[in-house]
Amino acid sequence: EEFHSEILADLEISEGPPTLPEAESATALLDAPAIPQILAARAERGLLRIAFRAPDNWSVTQAVFDDDLQPIRLNGIGSCECVAPEAASQVRLRGQVGERVLDTLPMWIDHEEALVSTSYSRSLEQAIRAKGQGGEWELDDWADVLRAFCQDLQYVPQRAAQERGHNPTNDEPNTFNRSDIFATDLSPALQGHHTGTGDSSQASSLRSLILRWFSQGDEDLPDTPAVSHHQGNGGLPGELDEVVDQPETLQSLLEDAKRLEQRQRRTKRDKQNALRIIAQMVSFISSPDSLRNRHPVDLARDLKLASVLLRMGVHKQWVERDEFLAATFKIWSALFLGANDERPAAIQSGLEEEPHSQLASPVVAAALFAWGMEIPDTPATPRESQLLLALALCVSRHPRIWISGDLEAMADELVLILRATGEAPDLAVVQARWRDLTMLGSALGRFELALTEWNFRQLRESNHAKSVERGELTYQGPLGYTIAQESALRTTSQNVRLLLLRSAASDESLVRADFVNPVSGLMHNSELRERLMGNEAAALAIEALLARLRGAWAS
């Protein structure tokens, strides 16, 4: 009764069909307005796509972000795109009607990345944000962040890796001279920094550094309360508390020994768990599906996070150096040393093909160089020699990712990374490693370019070396560079086991000795030496590399 009286009583129910107001015709809605206007603006992965309506006589020329102007590229009627500054929140379009300049009203920008954050992505950010507030990172802090990173690697949607141009305003690719890229000196950029030591702010510095990479400068948001792993007086009785003037008894000594044994067992278990997580991380980054589909922005973040987490793990001795080297080799070989159809589309070889802007950045270059600083300059084991060669080839084949055009920004990031991951950088050592690496990368690039002028048979027949030594660098045509693991005469009656530069089920191959092509033999051929190297400085850099590789087997 109440429903009828209060609801139905107010309704007038008429017979027959309802009378509807006439809707505005679709053609009227599509008529061009008297002034131009933006209908939508969506930014994703550094690219802003804009839909607009405008009179026929208005010709759009630029996008306006505050005082920043960006050229646009038309995608058809009523659609254009341009590079989007990260901090931009509004955009206007500027065009001309005859001689008159006419702007649209501003329109807010939808930042698509902020709208598609996944639960795992938020968990990773929360895990990072919670660390470093209660003191230095401990093993379980590091493992928590590593685990969240691994989950994010697995869960983040596999966006299409190919994009329509990295800079929509350039009709032709930039061309670079190889000598210009490698003729970089990091020393002036490092002069403003001083050698310091790690202090109590190291943990928070690492946390701030990662958050800046991960959440695009969002590190000033309120912190998540940290959970301290070191309980004070409110913790477990006797756990890490200092008892003053407490007489020691046999019982207390036994209890201390028992607690120490428990901590050691727990640490060992935590390290084993961390190794499993690292194995998963390496598997996700180097999987064929990830290599095909991982977006360049995600890949750039993966490289930065993997660099600092692995560096921190090895410096804190949570990861054994052999395990660090194995994980590093698998990631680098998959991303940078595979065949063209095996590597990510965003990581291109050569200088004519411009890599994605997120990968060719000072931060990525700094993270990669800091990562490479962990590879011994004078290798003492076969794995270390394999990594030294891989590092040099990565720089040689992908200089625009490993060598930043903005050395000032790279130096700033590099010093922060080295200090935040447990190392007080000796800037003289950093400069020396940089000079050595760029010189070697330049020499290897020149050497590889010259090798393409001959087929493998011609190179092998021009090689007058009578034998191959353990640790010898060889060039095997389709197999690429290898390192000989045993000495042998170059005859048909012997085989040589070669260490390959690829991440496969087996890193080795057995090759008949007369088909093994040692680089030292090519260098001893005076005609080949001149054609392969071009100048004596490059030849000396290659010879120094050969000596270091052989030294790893000798030691």
Side-chain angles (χ1 to χ4, degrees), residues 193-236:
H193 300 278
H194 60 86
T195 300
T197 57
D199 53 26
S200 59
S201 65
Q202 182 187 48
S204 59
S205 297
L206 178 59
R207 170 179 166 273
S208 176
L209 187 72
I210 299 177
L211 280 177
R212 177 159 53 84
W213 296 344
F214 186 81
S215 51
Q216 302 296 326
D218 225 14
E219 66 270 25
D220 293 329
L221 291 176
D223 290 328
T224 303
V227 178
S228 175
H229 297 283
H230 302 291
Q231 303 294 336
N233 292 331
L236 295 175

Side-chain angles (χ1 to χ4, degrees), residues 306-321:
S307 170
V308 296
L309 290 175
L310 287 175
R311 274 181 54 86
M312 186 178 196
V314 76
H315 273 277
K316 294 281 191 177
Q317 297 182 352
W318 298 330
V319 179
E320 297 297 331
R321 182 157 291 276

Side-chain angles (χ1 to χ4, degrees), residues 270-284:
D270 289 344
K271 285 185 177 181
Q272 291 173 343
N273 290 335
L275 285 180
R276 284 194 289 269
I277 300 170
I278 288 176
Q280 291 178 355
M281 178 191 74
V282 172
S283 176
F284 291 144

Side-chain angles (χ1 to χ4, degrees), residues 280-546:
Q280 291 178 355
M281 178 191 74
V282 172
S283 176
F284 291 144
I285 292 178
S286 59
S287 69
D289 186 52
S290 180
L291 294 176
R292 282 193 303 268
N293 300 317
R294 193 77 168 163
H295 193 279
V297 175
D298 296 325
L299 183 57
R301 193 197 63 186
D302 297 345
L303 288 172
K304 291 180 287 188
L305 286 176
S307 170
V308 296
L309 290 175
L310 287 175
R311 274 181 54 86
M312 186 178 196
V314 76
H315 273 277
K316 294 281 191 177
Q317 297 182 352
W318 298 330
V319 179
E320 297 297 331
R321 182 157 291 276
D322 287 346
E323 295 154 352
F324 165 83
L325 294 175
T328 297
F329 179 73
K330 288 179 181 178
I331 293 174
W332 287 1
S333 60
L335 292 179
F336 300 107
L337 302 180
N340 287 334
D341 58 347
E342 296 173 351
R343 286 184 285 106
I347 298 181
Q348 303 292 350
S349 296
L351 304 179
E352 291 74 23
E353 301 181 50
E354 185 175 359
H356 191 278
S357 59
Q358 292 289 334
L359 285 168
S361 78
V363 186
V364 172
L368 289 172
F369 182 58
W371 197 347
M373 287 281 291
E374 291 303 311
I375 309 304
D377 191 36
T378 304
T381 66
R383 176 63 83 182
E384 288 179 357
S385 67
Q386 190 183 34
L387 259 297
L388 179 62
L389 178 58
L391 173 61
L393 287 172
C394 286
V395 175
S396 172
R397 296 175 182 178
H398 306 280
R400 297 179 62 188
I401 295 177
W402 285 74
I403 302 177
S404 172
D406 187 349
L407 289 181
E408 292 286 344
M410 178 182 172
D412 292 342
E413 292 289 337
L414 177 62
V415 172
L416 288 175
I417 293 170
L418 292 178
R419 287 176 178 162
T421 51
E423 178 178 323
D426 184 334
L427 299 186
V429 173
V430 174
Q431 293 167 11
R433 287 297 303 270
W434 177 260
R435 286 193 298 269
D436 178 71
L437 191 57
T438 52
M439 171 60 77
L440 184 55
S442 176
L444 274 176
R446 183 190 298 271
F447 185 75
E448 288 197 282
L449 185 63
L451 286 178
T452 60
E453 299 178 7
W454 295 278
N455 60 41
F456 179 69
R457 179 179 177 181
Q458 290 173 314
L459 286 171
R460 187 170 64 86
E461 291 175 350
S462 301
N463 195 327
H464 302 309
K466 302 298 184 184
S467 62
V468 58
E469 303 296 327
R470 291 181 69 211
E472 189 83 58
L473 178 64
T474 77
Y475 178 73
Q476 299 302 128
L479 288 179
Y481 290 106
T482 70
I483 302 175
Q485 299 201 74
E486 50 202 359
S487 301
L489 294 175
R490 296 181 68 216
T491 64
T492 60
S493 61
Q494 290 186 280
N495 292 326
V496 178
R497 195 173 301 280
L498 302 178
L499 188 63
L500 306 179
L501 278 182
R502 67 186 185 196
S503 181
S506 173
D507 286 338
E508 298 179 348
S509 182
L510 200 62
V511 176
R512 204 172 72 186
D514 62 319
F515 275 84
V516 176
N517 192 32
V519 171
S520 61
L522 299 176
M523 299 287 288
H524 290 155
N525 184 320
S526 57
E527 178 187 357
L528 275 179
R529 182 187 179 96
E530 177 65 26
R531 296 176 68 183
L532 287 171
M533 303 313 305
N535 63 64
E536 195 61 24
L540 292 176
I542 296 293
E543 288 177 341
L545 173 66
L546 300 181

Side-chain angles (χ1 to χ4, degrees), residues 41-183:
R42 296 174 181 171
E44 185 172 13
R45 307 305 179 183
L47 193 66
L48 179 65
R49 294 182 173 87
I50 303 172
F52 64 92
R53 298 167 63 200
D56 294 338
N57 60 346
W58 183 74
S59 176
V60 59
T61 57
Q62 293 172 313
V64 184
F65 307 91
D66 296 327
D67 296 328
D68 185 18
L69 301 178
Q70 288 286 350
I72 60 93
R73 181 174 68 187
L74 289 171
N75 289 334
I77 298 176
S79 176
C80 65
E81 61 185 32
C82 68
V83 173
E86 288 184 5
S89 59
Q90 291 187 331
V91 63
R92 289 177 289 144
L93 285 179
R94 175 166 295 175
Q96 286 186 305
V97 178
E99 298 297 325
R100 180 187 172 197
V101 176
L102 184 61
D103 286 4
T104 67
L105 291 174
M107 169 64 77
W108 69 84
I109 298 174
D110 292 328
H111 288 276
E112 296 299 314
E113 292 94 337
L115 302 177
V116 296
S117 177
T118 66
S119 60
Y120 281 124
S121 180
R122 291 190 296 272
S123 296
L124 174 55
E125 184 174 350
Q126 290 168 4
I128 296 169
R129 200 176 289 282
K131 306 306 173 186
Q133 299 176 62
E136 292 298 316
W137 284 33
E138 296 297 334
L139 174 57
D140 42 3
D141 295 321
W142 175 76
D144 286 345
V145 174
L146 192 62
R147 186 179 295 106
F149 176 37
C150 197
Q151 291 172 333
D152 184 58
L153 279 170
Q154 184 180 18
Y155 186 79
V156 168
Q158 301 291 295
R159 306 175 183 91
Q162 296 85 358
E163 286 195 347
R164 294 175 296 166
H166 310 304
N167 186 348
T169 65
N170 290 344
D171 295 329
E172 296 181 0
N174 295 324
T175 57
F176 294 84
N177 185 293
R178 192 171 192 88
S179 60
D180 292 338
I181 288 185
F182 285 102

